[in-house]
C-alpha cells in the first residue's frame, strides 16, 4: 500500500501510521515504569484433563493493568519488550508473582510459563528462573516451560543447555503453537519435549474444517507414537471438547472453561473446590 496514485500519493504516511507510532512510543516508555510498578501481572488460564474433567493446572498469561487504558494484551507489549530488551526483567517479574501465587495452591496443580524466543539467548536464563523458584519456594516439579518453534532456530546449543538445566531440576517443557510458524518435525527431536500444544487456530475451526480436523488428528497420532501427551488450546465450546476427547487428546484449555483469571479469581475458584493448600498470609491471624 506504499504507492498510491492521485491525491492520496502520501497516504502511506497518513494519520493512522503516525498514530500507530505514537501509541508504540507511549507503550514503550510506559512499559519501563510499568514493570517495576508491577502493573504487568500474571493471569491464569485453566488446563483441564479431558478424560476426567479435572483441573490439571494453569497457564500464566501476562496482562498489563494500565492505570488509564485498562487491560492491555501481551500481543501488544511482549514484542515491544523483546525489541527493547525489557523482556528479561518483565518475565522474571511475572514469574516471581506467579510462583508466589501458585505456592498457595494444591501441590497437584502445575503452572505453565511462556518463554520468549529472545530469552533463550540468555546463557543465565535457567539460573535466573531457578533463583526465583528458590526465593519464592515454588518447586520445579510443578513448573512447565512453553517454547514456540521459532525459538529453536537461533542458538540450538544454548537452548538445549538452558532446557537441560531446568529439566535437571524437575521442570517439564512443552512445544507451544505446534502446527504454525516454523513447523518442522525435526524440532520435536531438537529438545527433550514432554508435551505438544496444538495451536488454537486448528482447534477453533475443528468442527467447521475437515482440514483442521485432519491436522488435529495427525498431531494426536504423532503424540501417541512419540509418547508425548498433547494439549489442545482454544476450546470455545463443548462440541469441540467432545471431538478432542474422542480423538484422544489428553488435555485442553480455552474460553469454554472460562476466561483467564486474575490471582484473586483463581484463589476464589480454588477455595470453592477446596484446592488451596494454605490460607493467604493476610488471612493468617497475627500473633498477639
Ligand atoms: P499462547 O502462549 O499460545 O497463549 C494462548 C493465547 O490464546 C492467549 O492469548 C489466550 O488468552 C488465548 N486463548 C486461550 N483460549 C482461547 C480461546 O478459547 N479462544 C481464543 N480466541 N483465544 C484463546 P494472550 O493471553 O493474548 O497471549 C498471546 C500470546 O502472548 C501467548 O500465546 C504467548 O505467546 C504470549 N505471552 C503471554 N504471556 C506471556 C509471558 O508472560 N511471556 C512471554 N514471553 N510471552 C507471553
Ligand atoms: Mg503458551
Ligand atoms: Mg499457544
Ligand atoms: Mg501463541
Amino acid at each position: 500500500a506504499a504507492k498510491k496514485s492521485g491525491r492520496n500519493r502520501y497516504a502511506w504516511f497518513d494519520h493512522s501510521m503516525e498514530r500507530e507510532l505514537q501509541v508504540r512510543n507511549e507503550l514503550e516508555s510506559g512499559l519501563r515504569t510499568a514493570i517495576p510498578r508491577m502493573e504487568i501481572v500474571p493471569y491464569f488460564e485453566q488446563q483441564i484433563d479431558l478424560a476426567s474433567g479435572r483441573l490439571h493446572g494453569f497457564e500464566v498469561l501476562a496482562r498489563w493493568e494500565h492505570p488509564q487504558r485498562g487491560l492491555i494484551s501481551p500481543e501488544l507489549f511482549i514484542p515491544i519488550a523483546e525489541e527493547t530488551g525489557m523482556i528479561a526483567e518483565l518475565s522474571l517479574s511475572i514469574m516471581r508473582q506467579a510462583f508466589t501465587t501458585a505456592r498457595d495452591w494444591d501441590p497437584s496443580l502445575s503452572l505453565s510459563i511462556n518463554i520468549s524466543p529472545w530469552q533463550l539467548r540468555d546463557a543465565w536464563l535457567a539460573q535466573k528462573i531457578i533463583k526465583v523458584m528458590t526465593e519464592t519456594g515454588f518447586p520445579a516439579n510443578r513448573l512447565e516451560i512453553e517454547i514456540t518453534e521459532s525459538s529453536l532456530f537461533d542458538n540450538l546449543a544454548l537452548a538445549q543447555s538452558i532446557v537441560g538445566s531446568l529439566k535437571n531440576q524437575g521442570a517439564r517443557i512443552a512445544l507451544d503453537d505446534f502446527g504454525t510458524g516454523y513447523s518442522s518435525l525435526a524440532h520435536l527431536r531438537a529438545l527433550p519435549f514432554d508435551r505438544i500444544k496444538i495451536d488454537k487456530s486448528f482447534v477453533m475451526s475443528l468442527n467447521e474444517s475437515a482440514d483442521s480436523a485432519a491436522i488435529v488428528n495427525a498431531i494426536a497420532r504423532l503424540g501417541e507414537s512419540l509418547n508425548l501427551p498433547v494439549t489442545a488450546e482454544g476450546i470455545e465450546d463443548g462440541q469441540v471438547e467432545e471431538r478432542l476427547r474422542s480423538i484422544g487428546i489428553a488435555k485442553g484449555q480455552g474460553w469454554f472453561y472460562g476466561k483467564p483469571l486474575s490471582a484473586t479469581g483463581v484463589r476464589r475458584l480454588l477455595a470453592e473446590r477446596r484446592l488451596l493448600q494454605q490460607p493467604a498470609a493476610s488471612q493468617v491471624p497475627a500473633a498477639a
Side-chain angles (χ1 to χ4, degrees):
K3 246 188 178 177
K4 287 203 174 167
S5 56
R7 63 189 171 89
N8 280 331
R9 217 159 10 126
Y10 299 107
W12 56 270
F13 195 77
D14 63 8
H15 293 300
S16 72
M17 196 163 169
E18 211 173 305
R19 178 79 195 115
E20 226 173 83
L21 218 78
Q22 242 175 40
V23 169
R24 198 207 175 280
N25 287 338
E26 190 203 305
L27 288 179
E28 180 180 333
S29 59
L31 204 50
R32 268 175 225 290
T33 47
I35 301 168
R37 285 181 189 157
M38 288 209 284
E39 286 171 20
I40 317 284
V41 298
Y43 269 55
F44 302 90
E45 180 166 303
Q46 298 180 55
Q47 298 178 317
I48 306 292
D49 182 83
L50 291 180
S52 66
R54 287 173 74 157
L55 181 62
H56 171 77
F58 293 87
E59 175 175 0
V60 174
L61 296 163
R63 297 285 180 270
W64 184 351
E65 289 180 337
H66 195 288
Q68 280 89 43
R69 297 189 177 278
L71 270 197
I72 301 180
S73 152
E75 317 243 46
L76 269 177
F77 64 81
I78 295 280
I80 298 176
E82 289 175 340
E83 287 161 30
T84 55
M86 289 188 264
I87 187 67
E89 190 193 344
L90 186 155
S91 182
L92 291 174
S93 165
I94 287 286
M95 281 188 236
R96 182 163 289 113
Q97 297 175 68
F99 294 164
T100 304
T101 296
R103 196 175 52 190
D104 295 341
W105 304 344
D106 188 272
S108 68
L109 297 170
S110 68
L111 196 68
S112 298
I113 299 263
N114 291 286
I115 288 295
S116 156
W118 289 64
Q119 296 179 263
L120 290 173
R121 298 174 178 168
D122 176 0
W124 294 99
L125 180 66
Q127 285 69 25
K128 289 173 183 172
I129 296 175
I130 292 163
K131 182 163 178 268
V132 178
M133 284 192 288
T134 309
E135 286 169 358
T136 54
F138 183 79
N141 62 12
R142 289 176 60 192
L143 178 67
E144 186 168 274
I145 298 283
E146 296 191 2
I147 304 177
T148 53
E149 293 176 80
S150 56
S151 47
L152 305 180
F153 278 118
D154 223 42
N155 184 342
L156 185 57
L158 186 52
Q160 283 167 332
S161 125
I162 291 169
V163 162
S165 304
L166 290 168
K167 287 199 68 159
N168 273 341
Q169 300 285 316
R172 289 171 309 280
I173 159 166
L175 180 52
D176 201 0
D177 299 350
F178 188 68
T180 62
Y182 304 83
S183 275
S184 159
L185 294 180
H187 289 154
L188 281 169
R189 286 176 32 192
L191 292 176
F193 289 108
D194 301 291
R195 172 180 305 283
I196 302 172
K197 294 190 73 177
I198 307 180
D199 190 70
K200 64 174 177 288
S201 58
F202 305 114
V203 177
M204 288 166 68
S205 56
L206 183 61
N207 279 337
E208 287 80 52
S209 154
D211 286 348
S212 294
I215 290 169
V216 170
N217 198 57
I219 298 176
R221 302 291 78 85
L222 183 68
E224 249 169 35
S225 334
L226 295 173
N227 212 6
L228 290 176
V230 176
T231 296
E233 61 182 19
I235 303 176
E236 292 190 349
D237 62 66
Q239 277 159 329
V240 167
E241 186 202 50
E242 192 44 54
R243 183 83 174 270
L244 290 165
R245 199 181 281 122
S246 72
I247 291 175
I249 302 284
K251 303 234 154 50
Q253 54 183 99
W255 296 348
F256 179 54
Y257 310 103
K259 291 282 177 74
L261 295 164
S262 67
T264 313
V266 175
R267 171 164 280 278
R268 208 172 290 134
L269 177 93
L270 297 183
E272 271 168 27
R273 300 188 189 177
R274 310 204 174 284
L275 282 172
L276 288 180
Q277 62 171 337
Q278 61 197 54
S282 60
Q283 289 169 12
V284 176

